[in-house]
């Protein structure tokens, strides 16, 4: 198997693992806070202990350890900027994780994932403000398409049921989840892009590099670990009592933390090293495609036709955006947006 085939397979497996989140959240009797907190506790432990890059919240070099790794950011402006960016992106990812669970507990899995998948819409709208990156004109053509899909999915007319007791509130939370995930992608883009010309030029004046002002890029997996840690801390006061949870419920949240978040994210990051972002984005469309079917299979959910149409429009807009983003990129335009974290 070639490296590209292996990377594609990992992206496919990640999409399948991501897609099981809605059905798994609905399968447990634990409340949303307990599911979100316990899932992130497990995911954070796996990421922090298994991957050294997840512990470099302030960037730094691979060989740095001990006191230098913990306190190095205090004497380096570049490291402080990297730490603040990691914390900010982690907070947005924290909101994504918590809002997803709360939305999945209240509305259908289809509504939840379709509305969260509108994140590229918010990236296109907010990138000029937050990143100072102007989307290409052809990318802006898809804003109305994303907007139409969002409206159709939001007003899909889901009726209250056993697995969707409060669909309207759930739809609102899922929409904000899409916004939070869009902000997460913007944070990851800010961490991964080249520094501004002025700042980069400043590092060549002889003194800035010695003072630790050289540009630092925090790894994306550090933001994912940071977000899961913040979820744990935020949910800790309302997670108890977990001692009375049934073994089946604990197995479900263990699966969510270990496989649906941590392992899936590792597969995505590995695939993204070899495959272009538009290819990864297209392969990860397996998540919104399969999520409703898992919920129908295990819980008997039947989304309305308008919900399916909205999800189809969002998927079409994502495919077209990924295709356009795969073309040569113009200077100063927003890059392709791929689904990186659930």
């Amino acid at each position: 198997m070639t490296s590209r085939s292996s990377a594609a397979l990992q992206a496919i497996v990640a999409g399948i693992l991501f897609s099981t989140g809605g059905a798994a959240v609905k399968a447990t009797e634990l409340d949303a806070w307990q599911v979100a907190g316990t899932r992130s506790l497990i995911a954070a432990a796996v990421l922090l202990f298994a991957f050294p890059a997840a512990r470099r919240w302030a960037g730094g070099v691979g060989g740095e350890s001990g006191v230098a790794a913990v306190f190095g950011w205090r004497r380096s402006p570049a490291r402080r900027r990297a730490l603040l960016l990691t914390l900010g992106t982690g907070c947005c990812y924290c909101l994504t994780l918590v809002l997803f669970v709360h939305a999945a507990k209240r509305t259908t899995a289809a509504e939840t994932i379709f509305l969260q998948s509108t994140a590229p819409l918010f990236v296109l709208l907010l990138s000029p403000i937050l990143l100072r990156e102007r989307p290409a004109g052809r990318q802006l053509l898809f804003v109305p398409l994303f907007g139409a899909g969002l409206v159709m999915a939001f007003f899909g007319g889901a009726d209250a049921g056993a697995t969707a007791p409060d669909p309207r509130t759930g739809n609102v939370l899922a929409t904000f989840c899409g916004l939070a995930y869009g902000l997460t992608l913007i944070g990851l883009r800010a961490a991964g892009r080249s520094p501004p010309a002025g700042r980069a030029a400043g590092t060549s004046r002889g003194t800035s590099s010695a003072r630790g002002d050289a540009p630092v890029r925090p790894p994306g997996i550090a933001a994912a670990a940071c977000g899961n840690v913040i979820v744990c801390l935020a949910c800790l006061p309302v997670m108890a009592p977990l001692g009375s949870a049934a073994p089946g419920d604990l197995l479900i949240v263990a699966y969510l933390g270990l496989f649906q978040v941590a392992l899936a994210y590792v597969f995505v990051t590995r695939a993204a090293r070899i495959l272009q972002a538009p290819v990864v984005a297209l392969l990860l469309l397996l998540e919104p495609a399969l999520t409703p079917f898992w919920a129908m299979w295990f819980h008997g959910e039947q989304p309305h036709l308008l919900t399916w149409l909205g999800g189809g429009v969002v998927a079409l807009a994502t495919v077209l955006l990924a295709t356009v983003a795969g073309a040569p990129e113009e200077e100063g335009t927003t890059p392709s947006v791929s689904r990186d974290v659930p």
Side-chain angles (χ1 to χ4, degrees):
M1 181 179 292
T2 65
S3 59
R4 288 185 62 84
S5 298
S6 176
L9 180 60
Q10 290 183 79
I12 291 171
V13 173
I16 295 174
L17 290 174
F18 285 149
S19 71
T20 62
V25 166
K26 293 177 181 297
T28 173
E29 296 297 325
L30 298 176
D31 65 33
W33 293 108
Q34 291 174 321
V35 173
T38 310
R39 178 179 77 160
S40 288
L41 174 64
I42 297 170
V46 172
L47 293 175
L48 290 172
F49 287 104
F51 303 97
R55 301 191 291 270
R56 295 204 294 272
W57 291 14
V61 295
E64 196 172 34
S65 61
V67 176
V70 176
F71 298 105
W73 63 270
R74 301 183 62 180
R75 60 177 181 270
S76 168
R79 296 283 295 276
R80 285 198 295 272
R81 287 191 293 267
L83 177 62
L84 290 175
L85 184 57
T86 300
L87 291 174
T89 305
C91 287
C92 294
Y93 185 40
C94 164
L95 289 174
T96 304
L97 294 170
V98 173
L99 288 171
F100 176 85
V101 175
H102 278 270
K105 283 287 190 180
R106 288 170 170 80
T107 189
T108 64
E111 297 272 6
T112 302
I113 194 60
F114 291 159
L115 290 170
Q116 180 187 291
S117 297
T118 60
L121 168 64
F122 299 106
V123 174
L124 290 174
L125 295 176
L126 296 176
S127 287
I129 301 173
L130 299 179
L131 292 175
R132 300 295 189 268
E133 292 182 345
R134 177 181 54 83
R138 59 177 182 255
Q139 293 176 323
L140 291 175
L141 293 175
F142 304 119
V143 170
L145 199 57
F146 274 111
L150 188 153
V151 171
M152 284 190 286
F154 187 90
F155 295 103
D159 298 322
T163 60
D166 188 4
R168 291 307 177 199
T169 302
N171 289 354
V172 172
L173 294 175
T175 302
F176 279 106
C177 180
L179 172 60
Y181 185 62
L183 292 172
T184 303
L185 293 176
I186 289 175
L188 292 173
R189 164 61 178 168
R193 68 178 177 177
S194 300
R199 184 178 298 173
T203 62
S204 62
R205 296 178 181 175
T207 58
S208 59
S209 180
R211 290 189 313 221
D213 289 346
V216 174
R217 297 182 183 180
I221 197 170
C226 175
N228 280 287
V229 169
I230 296 172
V231 172
C232 296
L233 297 177
C235 295
L236 191 61
V238 290
M239 283 172 57
L242 279 177
S244 59
D249 292 331
L250 297 179
L251 285 176
I252 290 172
V253 292
Y255 163 79
L256 286 169
L258 183 59
F259 294 97
Q260 195 260 336
V261 174
L263 185 61
Y265 186 85
V266 171
F267 283 158
V268 169
T269 54
R270 289 180 176 177
R273 295 172 188 168
I274 299 174
L275 302 176
Q276 293 180 338
V279 177
V280 176
L282 295 177
L283 291 175
L284 290 180
L285 283 177
L286 276 172
E287 179 184 8
L290 293 178
T291 293
F293 290 100
W294 295 125
M296 289 192 331
W297 188 317
F298 290 103
H299 304 292
E301 284 190 350
Q302 295 291 340
H304 283 234
L305 177 61
L306 194 58
T307 300
W308 286 110
L309 291 175
V313 170
V314 170
L316 175 62
T318 303
V319 170
L320 294 176
L321 181 60
T323 303
V324 167
E329 193 172 299
E330 298 178 5
E331 186 71 19
T333 60
T334 302
S336 61
V337 179
S338 64
R339 182 168 182 81
D340 192 20
V341 285

